[in-house]
Amino acid sequence: MGLQHTSGDLVGNMEVDAFRRLFPLPFFERYLLESIRPDARPLSSARDTTVALGAVASADGSALAKIGYTTMLAAIKMEVMTPSLGSPDEGGIAVDFHMPPVCSPLIKPGWPAEAASVLSKQLTDVIISSGMVNLKELSLIPGKAAWMAYLDVYCLNADGAIFDAALLSAVSAFSHLHIPAVSVTEDGRVVAVSGELVEGNLVKETPIKSMRKLTLSCIPFSLTCLLHKKYILADPTAEEESIMETHVTVVLDLSGRLVSFYKPGGPVHAHTSALQDCVALTRQRVKELQKILNEAIADMDLD
């Protein structure tokens, strides 16, 4: 009897999986009628989220962020540069987003992911427009030397809401960032101090700036939502994104200020009430992410 029952369950599961593959939208809509999703989440709930700081020992700041199965690794390297003539008292930030073929079956080996360049620009726009980093704080000697922060974000697994996870990893990496000490070599160059010798030249006795933490003026977080008929699905999986085309991404800072709003797909028009609901869901999500990041920082301080 037990074997027959197991066999019946197996056949039933196979039928469900076949229906899911052949008719994905009707499959999901059967769940939406009950205001849940196949993974048992309520429509407004995000997936389990974790942040681990200091994931890359060789970086000046790094973090590993996971939202469900979507996984991002962010690392920052600081280099001394000559500031631009237009902003002699400011440093800079350069962002590069990477989507290797192993992160998704949709990425073909040997071809750059189209989404990678778009996400690099989106991350840059949010980090700069939010004012998260005061670029003047990256200045060393006005007109002569400043810090350039090279941020690389690697997508290790893409299972939906990849911008949300990428931004979370980037913000976490900047929260972990320790700006190296700098000094001046005998030939007058400003360099990061990693020991008594820098490229064979003795540094002056006292660093012009010691190692320090970066002060974040503003912290932005985001939430991606799918809009389908009367339903709003927060933090979609890759499967959900492939089935329901209308999605929006809202970026808010900790005070609730709107930093940016993206609507890359779906009908041009969306109900104002639905967009307002997305903003309200993002406010709740920002509080959750702030708590998660604060706990990661506290754990790092204990270590």
Side-chain angles (χ1 to χ4, degrees), residues 40-56:
R41 274 189 296 154
L43 302 187
S44 60
S45 296
R47 292 167 290 178
D48 290 341
T49 302
T50 60
V51 170
L53 303 182
V56 182

Side-chain angles (χ1 to χ4, degrees), residues 98-248:
H98 309 267
M99 289 192 74
V102 295
C103 78
S104 169
L106 301 178
I107 308 300
K108 297 180 180 180
W111 291 88
E114 293 181 4
S117 59
V118 174
L119 282 164
S120 293
K121 185 178 186 307
Q122 286 181 324
L123 286 171
T124 302
D125 290 345
V126 167
I127 291 171
I128 298 301
S129 64
S130 68
M132 180 177 77
V133 178
N134 181 358
L135 297 181
K136 293 184 183 297
E137 191 177 344
L138 300 180
S139 177
L140 294 170
I141 301 176
K144 293 185 178 181
W147 285 114
M148 172 63 79
Y150 289 96
L151 168 66
D152 286 281
V153 180
Y154 298 88
C155 181
L156 304 183
N157 191 21
D159 186 29
I162 60 177
F163 178 81
D164 300 344
L167 180 60
L168 175 59
S169 69
V171 169
S172 301
F174 274 107
S175 298
H176 173 253
L177 176 64
H178 288 77
I179 300 178
V182 291
S183 191
V184 181
T185 63
E186 291 181 340
D187 57 7
R189 292 184 299 115
V190 177
V191 294
V193 180
S194 58
E196 294 183 357
L197 293 175
V198 180
E199 297 182 0
N201 293 326
L202 290 172
V203 299
K204 292 183 177 179
E205 294 182 358
T206 305
I208 59 174
K209 286 198 175 183
S210 302
M211 179 179 287
R212 57 195 170 91
K213 290 276 289 180
L214 183 66
T215 301
L216 300 185
S217 305
C218 165
I219 296 182
F221 292 120
S222 66
L223 177 66
T224 297
C225 296
L226 285 177
L227 306 181
H228 181 68
K229 296 182 178 180
K230 64 178 181 179
Y231 304 105
I232 300 176
L233 288 74
D235 180 30
T237 63
E239 183 182 17
E240 291 170 337
E241 288 180 340
S242 69
I243 297 168
M244 293 167 260
E245 61 178 3
T246 304
H247 61 282
V248 298

